[in-house]
Amino acid sequence: MAEDGSFRRHVAVLFVDITGFTRLVESVPPEEVYRTVRPVLDELSRVVQRHGGEIQQVLGDGFMAVFGLRTAGDEVGSAVRAALATLQVSADMPVHAGVECGEVLVTPSWEPGRFAVWGRVVNIGKRLCDLAAAGELQLGPMAFGRVAEQVGAATPACVTLTGTADAIVAHRVVA
């Protein structure tokens, strides 16, 4: 273990995302998104924990879980069994999953978040992040409207983000 508390470990990681989340966010108010998605994420989390996984990060419609972080063993098998089990959780809200394993650096974390946010804004922010290349920031129309004078040169582009109904004007800012 290093002075900062970090260490290397062979683990398996599982990513689980709810399929169709963007369509849901585009079609109903944030409160309905929360009421629909929260029970599914709660059950998915319980499935992962029953298989020995630890939820490392939650990102709106999905999460990343780590297997084998605290004890060595069949972390890959556990992750795969958990992944298969998550696929059976909800017919109404299907999920997709990915598993990979290997050595990682485990570091102390910052204080975990104490709340979650739901709605179209979160979805658009994630999609804009996916759109950005290395060294770029993609700003949505509302955000750009608030900070246009502060960001300097920005390149506007009309973009259709995955799963959204209408194109938006995103502004690319290069660091």
Side-chain angles (χ1 to χ4, degrees), residues 33-46 89:
V33 173
Y34 178 77
R35 282 191 299 272
T36 302
V37 172
R38 180 61 190 249
V40 176
L41 286 175
D42 286 346
E43 182 57 27
L44 292 170
S45 176
R46 286 189 288 272
V89 165

Side-chain angles (χ1 to χ4, degrees), residues 112-124:
R114 301 214 188 283
F115 59 90
V117 293
W118 300 84
R120 186 170 193 262
V121 171
V122 176
N123 195 52
I124 296 297

Side-chain angles (χ1 to χ4, degrees), residues 7 14 18 30 37 48-49 68 72 92 94 97 114 116 124 129-130 154 157 164:
F7 60 95
L14 163 64
I18 294 174
V37 172
V48 166
Q49 291 169 349
D92 294 333
R114 301 214 188 283
I124 296 297
C129 180
D130 292 344
T164 59

Side-chain angles (χ1 to χ4, degrees), residues 15 34 41 44 59 74 145 149:
F15 286 87
Y34 178 77
L41 286 175
L44 292 170
L59 297 169
D74 185 21
E149 294 175 355

Side-chain angles (χ1 to χ4, degrees), residues 70-129:
R70 301 187 194 289
T71 59
D74 185 21
E75 61 273 355
V76 179
S78 294
V80 169
R81 286 187 293 277
L84 293 171
T86 65
L87 299 178
Q88 307 302 314
V89 165
S90 172
D92 294 333
M93 303 251 9
V95 302
H96 50 279
V99 174
E100 181 59 305
C101 65
E103 189 174 73
V104 298
L105 178 67
V106 180
T107 64
S109 183
W110 293 269
E111 185 69 25
R114 301 214 188 283
F115 59 90
V117 293
W118 300 84
R120 186 170 193 262
V121 171
V122 176
N123 195 52
I124 296 297
K126 170 69 169 95
R127 300 293 184 227
L128 288 169
C129 180

